[in-house]
Amino acid sequence: MSSLFSMVYKPGFVKFALNIWPPFWGAGIKIISISADFRQVEVQLKLRWWNKNANRSQYGGSIFSLTDPIYALMLMGILGEEYFVWDKEASINFIQPGRGDLFAQFHLTSGQLDDIYRLTDSGQKCFPEFITHIKNQQGDVVAEVQRKLYVRKKPKYREGEEIS
């Protein structure tokens, strides 16, 4: 990968870009860390006066947004420009009100990556699923988010496919 994508798409740049991205910034979402290999990300949702709901706890949309692009961006950093990576489906289970700052940790294991590479090797689609637990400052789970992604090699990188 010698393209502009591979030169720019580095953890430090992605962290900076997301932290100034208006939807994250406005919602109170902050990327705390992205590992050098994109396999671990830690994110915080700060409770602000503008992201409280009528019950004075975290707005559910902000909690959901906290997880929105993270696994897709992690996989883009790992798989590179040869792959399409998109969010396909998501659901959230609110367990208790988020009355303060909230945190989420995202992890990709070698086994998960091996499965993605194996399932997409010949150009097939892959739909990996991930569960993220949103926790408060005490470590109690506030919400559980399930995300399904769409992963597939781009046509020019698929075996046996001709590009016109």
Side-chain angles (χ1 to χ4, degrees), residues 53-67:
N53 62 23
N55 295 310
R56 305 197 47 78
S57 62
Q58 289 279 10
Y59 172 62
S62 295
I63 296 172
F64 197 54
S65 293
L66 174 71
T67 68

Side-chain angles (χ1 to χ4, degrees), residues 26-67:
I29 298 168
K30 180 180 180 183
I31 305 297
I32 296 171
S33 66
I34 301 176
S35 67
D37 61 2
F38 281 102
R39 289 183 183 212
Q40 296 184 41
V41 175
E42 187 175 356
V43 182
Q44 177 181 16
L45 174 60
K46 296 180 180 211
L47 182 61
R48 305 280 196 211
W49 65 266
W50 64 80
N51 66 358
K52 288 182 183 177
N53 62 23
N55 295 310
R56 305 197 47 78
S57 62
Q58 289 279 10
Y59 172 62
S62 295
I63 296 172
F64 197 54
S65 293
L66 174 71
T67 68

